[in-house]
Amino acid sequence: MMMMMMKRNYAVRLSIGLNICVLLYVCAHFGSSGPWSEDGATNWDNNVVQAPLVQDNQNNNIIPFSSNASERIVDVQTNKETIIIEKDDKEKIDVITSGFDGVIKDVESTKINLQTESVPGGQESPPLVESSISLQDAIGCKDKNLDSRVSQRGDYWVLYNYVPMTVSVKCWETITYTTHADFTFLDNLEPLLERWRAPVSIAMYTPGTDIQPTIEAIKYLRNCASPLVAQLVTFHLFFSSKHVPKSIPSREKILSDSYNCSAVAPWLNSLYTTKMYKNEKKLLYPVNVGRNIARETAVTHYVLASDIELYPSPDLPSRFLEMIRQRDQPELLKPNPKVFVLPIFEVDEKSKPPKNKTLLLKMLKNGTAIPFHKKVCSGCHSVPKSKEWMEEKEVAGLHVYHVGKRTGVFIHWEPIFIGTNLDPMYDERLSWEGKSDKMTQGYALCVLDYDFLILDNAFLVHRPGIKIYKKDSRRDALAAKTNVLIKKIIVPELRVIYGTRKGCVV
Ligand SMILES: *[C@@H]1O[C@H](CO)[C@@H](O)[C@H](O)[C@H]1NC(C)=O
Ligand SMILES: *[C@@H]1O[C@H](CO)[C@@H](O)[C@H](O)[C@H]1NC(C)=O
Ligand SMILES: *[C@@H]1O[C@H](CO)[C@@H](O)[C@H](O)[C@H]1NC(C)=O
Ligand SMILES: *[C@@H]1O[C@H](CO)[C@@H](O)[C@H](O)[C@H]1NC(C)=O
């Protein structure tokens, strides 16, 4: 156990021993001091697990995105530290806290205190992770900013980065979960963040008066929910030019307004939910416009383009990046373009989404969990070698389990995966109601000969509640129309743009 303070650059290095050995390297940058001070770094060892760190520019605090052991916040001005630990983790509490004299909190009572003074000057901050084999070099990407801007996209107006997250991240440092929603889905954001603990980019569909509850929901989440929302979530707004809201509050107002947290959450307020503009006007949900907005604006190289009701297994960003950094599997070195597929599961209403594969396998055995959409459309989401995957025990770390292709029985596969912004986009003419909304992307991935690398210890779980098939004649009619649109118009275009390959269909 040791803790060292270093000179004027306020670097703190501390290492916590035993076999969960978490090394955090924390450095805040003031004045003219250089970025790194390596003196005294004597306690590396092979078991060191590094948690990517992020600096909150406005608040001068640090959080690791995902760490195996705990979460720490360091106030770099006073060097006062807070550790947040899961209540049930008695063993780890002892390991982590021996010799530690800061504040210790458990996850349940977590309200991270971010009310410290702001950084003087506001200079560029240096990278906060010093890897032995550089992840930065392994990824090699360009940093992006979160400047807000207004732009048109086909028939839609888009307010990009309308409310940006407060942390600043390097493009190689973590992964962004990118998604889309209307305000009624925002109850998923906290449980999602609890597991993901890394940036989220979300495009909100706000036609007409739906903008009001959406703004209320953003304010509610930033003021009354987990502090992770303000730190990690970037909200974008979009609406059709035929359904422009009467007014749009300035983002400054949203950031400064306080909120009465004893009021009911906007997505539970029947005043809002029973009179949704989108429903009253029978608008289709432009799912792929939202998907593309959220994905393109992600500031990280790797993105997980997902649906907000799908919660990832915890620790995924750090485990994934560690796999990328090590690059010690032949599948990772092949020249083909690649995406990293996450198998998807559902759990029943009474169960919590499992925290790791070991628990997931137990739940699959006793029937409290099942593969996603098993009861709706088992072909659409089944993953190559899924039976074997479900028989394989959890091992440490993250690896490629199997390399699949979108051919044969998986010819109509719509996988959810970690990829990058170089992957084909989603066709913005397709709506959620019309179905098949990810099929055209799947076709392009197939023609471009993508490898679908299925990960061994990572997965997605749908919010609790098992879906059963319900007939919806409006959707069926729209789906039939969509199929015609895809066949007659979109497929011929895709053939021109991406070409063809034997075994690939939409
Ligand atoms: C906050 O909301 C609660 C519940 O709606 C209400 O009773 C209370 O008066 C409100 N407080 C303020 C300061 O508006
Ligand atoms: C999975 O989670 C359970 C419950 O938190 C825990 O007891 C178990 O050790 C975990 N398994 C692994 C392999 O980490
Ligand atoms: C199923 O297994 C999980 C994980 O072991 C357990 O938490 C749950 O209580 C079990 N449920 C039933 C109905 O057996
Ligand atoms: C988490 O800690 C366990 C030991 O407690 C270790 O086996 C595992 O590899 C660690 N996971 C990550 C992602 O670092």
Side-chain angles (χ1 to χ4, degrees):
M1 297 314 111
M2 65 183 237
M3 180 159 170
M4 257 188 229
M5 273 178 53
M6 285 166 196
K7 293 189 252 161
R8 279 196 50 241
N9 67 355
Y10 298 90
V12 179
R13 179 184 272 265
L14 46 113
S15 157
I16 281 100
L18 303 197
N19 52 357
I20 4 161
C21 183
V22 178
L23 181 75
L24 287 153
Y25 199 110
V26 177
C27 174
H29 179 73
F30 294 116
S32 59
S33 54
W36 293 104
S37 169
E38 276 292 352
D39 46 319
T42 54
N43 50 355
W44 285 100
D45 77 44
N46 294 333
N47 293 325
V48 165
V49 174
Q50 281 179 287
L53 297 179
V54 172
Q55 177 162 25
D56 183 322
N57 275 346
Q58 295 177 4
N59 300 297
N60 199 18
N61 283 330
I62 315 274
I63 50 168
F65 275 134
S66 51
S67 123
N68 200 351
S70 66
E71 182 173 339
R72 286 157 178 267
I73 300 142
V74 182
D75 182 334
V76 285
Q77 291 189 327
T78 60
N79 274 317
K80 196 172 249 160
E81 233 190 323
T82 304
I83 292 190
I84 293 150
I85 312 176
E86 301 209 16
K87 238 187 203 145
D88 56 2
D89 243 334
K90 294 268 186 305
E91 247 182 77
K92 279 182 188 165
I93 291 178
D94 292 336
V95 175
I96 292 160
T97 57
S98 59
F100 172 74
D101 59 4
V103 182
I104 297 163
K105 292 182 180 176
D106 64 65
V107 169
E108 263 73 44
S109 70
T110 299
K111 278 287 171 214
I112 300 173
N113 173 23
L114 285 173
Q115 306 309 312
T116 50
E117 287 164 46
S118 58
V119 184
Q123 302 91 339
E124 285 274 294
S125 49
L128 290 158
V129 177
E130 186 78 274
S131 300
S132 43
I133 306 161
S134 164
L135 180 60
Q136 185 172 11
D137 290 344
I139 293 180
C141 53
K142 284 209 182 76
D143 285 327
K144 292 204 274 183
N145 68 41
L146 281 171
D147 293 347
S148 59
R149 63 183 198 280
V150 179
S151 174
Q152 279 177 290
R153 181 172 196 122
D155 196 29
Y156 293 89
W157 281 101
V158 187
L159 281 64
Y160 292 97
N161 299 321
Y162 178 62
V163 176
M165 62 179 176
T166 61
V167 299
S168 72
V169 307
K170 303 285 173 197
C171 60
W172 49 268
E173 207 168 26
T174 183
I175 310 178
T176 307
Y177 183 105
T178 71
T179 191
H180 55 85
D182 64 45
F183 74 93
T184 61
F185 283 84
L186 285 178
D187 56 338
N188 291 292
L189 206 49
E190 264 195 293
L192 171 68
L193 279 167
E194 210 41 66
R195 292 165 73 91
W196 180 245
R197 294 182 169 264
V200 172
S201 169
I202 181 168
M204 301 298 307
Y205 182 47
T206 57
T209 54
D210 285 348
I211 195 160
Q212 197 200 335
T214 307
I215 299 289
E216 293 297 311
I218 294 173
K219 288 201 274 191
Y220 177 87
L221 283 161
R222 287 177 59 99
N223 289 286
C224 314
S226 161
L228 295 173
V229 174
Q231 289 169 338
L232 296 171
V233 183
T234 298
F235 294 93
H236 322 278
L237 306 184
F238 73 104
F239 42 81
S240 143
S241 60
K242 295 187 192 73
H243 302 279
V244 177
K246 286 225 167 66
S247 71
I248 301 167
S250 73
R251 59 192 289 231
E252 287 74 25
K253 194 157 155 41
I254 294 191
L255 300 180
S256 64
D257 270 5
S258 61
Y259 199 88
N260 179 357
C261 293
S262 45
V264 64
W267 51 84
L268 296 174
N269 187 337
S270 58
L271 276 179
Y272 292 141
T273 53
T274 56
K275 283 203 183 151
M276 270 179 86
Y277 183 93
K278 168 180 157 277
N279 295 345
E280 291 194 334
K281 302 278 176 188
K282 297 200 166 57
L283 302 183
L284 298 182
Y285 181 65
V287 59
N288 285 347
V289 179
R291 281 197 180 112
N292 288 346
I293 291 169
R295 205 186 87 177
E296 281 178 2
T297 41
V299 295
T300 55
H301 178 69
Y302 284 108
V303 291
L304 168 52
S306 183
D307 291 329
I308 193 168
E309 291 182 307
L310 299 176
Y311 306 161
S313 48
D315 274 346
L316 180 50
S318 61
R319 287 169 159 223
F320 178 83
L321 293 173
E322 184 54 19
M323 178 185 80
I324 295 297
R325 190 180 69 82
Q326 288 182 354
R327 276 198 288 197
D328 57 357
Q329 281 190 277
E331 295 85 348
L332 296 171
L333 300 171
K334 289 211 311 206
N336 295 44
K338 41 182 87 56
V339 290
F340 299 86
V341 177
L342 301 166
I344 316 175
F345 299 89
E346 293 177 74
V347 297
D348 68 23
E349 216 159 343
K350 294 189 209 84
S351 302
K352 273 181 77 176
K355 279 192 183 158
N356 57 34
K357 186 173 176 186
T358 307
L359 277 176
L360 170 67
L361 295 182
K362 282 188 187 156
M363 293 176 71
L364 286 165
K365 272 225 175 78
N366 72 15
T368 51
I370 59 169
F372 188 56
H373 279 186
K374 191 178 173 191
K375 304 199 170 161
V376 181
C377 167
S378 61
C380 307
H381 296 277
S382 70
V383 172
K385 296 266 182 209
S386 60
K387 219 170 141 248
E388 292 85 347
W389 189 96
M390 289 190 271
E391 280 158 9
E392 198 79 24
K393 280 210 182 89
E394 180 171 11
V395 293
L398 191 61
H399 316 88
V400 177
Y401 178 70
H402 174 71
V403 180
K405 289 282 185 185
R406 191 179 182 267
T407 53
V409 277
F410 303 102
I411 203 158
H412 297 300
W413 194 19
E414 295 190 271
I416 303 262
F417 50 78
I418 296 174
T420 74
N421 265 310
L422 298 172
D423 305 329
M425 301 301 287
Y426 302 93
D427 194 297
E428 299 190 6
R429 287 166 288 189
L430 303 178
S431 68
W432 178 80
E433 289 82 356
K435 303 186 184 174
S436 307
D437 49 51
K438 294 195 283 287
M439 294 288 184
T440 61
Q441 186 204 44
Y443 173 80
L445 293 169
C446 182
V447 171
L448 297 171
D449 203 19
Y450 266 68
D451 280 344
F452 293 82
L453 310 188
I454 296 147
L455 298 172
D456 63 350
N457 293 317
F459 53 89
L460 294 165
V461 183
H462 192 271
R463 74 178 293 164
I466 287 173
K467 238 190 199 165
I468 47 168
Y469 179 75
K470 272 196 228 118
K471 189 155 174 57
D472 178 342
S473 40
R474 180 180 177 232
R475 263 194 97 176
D476 291 345
L478 285 163
K481 269 196 194 162
T482 298
N483 287 340
V484 174
L485 169 70
I486 291 178
K487 219 164 141 187
K488 292 268 163 66
I489 297 181
I490 299 179
V491 168
E493 291 174 6
L494 293 175
R495 288 206 178 112
V496 173
I497 306 282
Y498 295 105
T500 55
R501 177 182 293 274
K502 199 163 167 274
C504 298
V505 299
V506 164

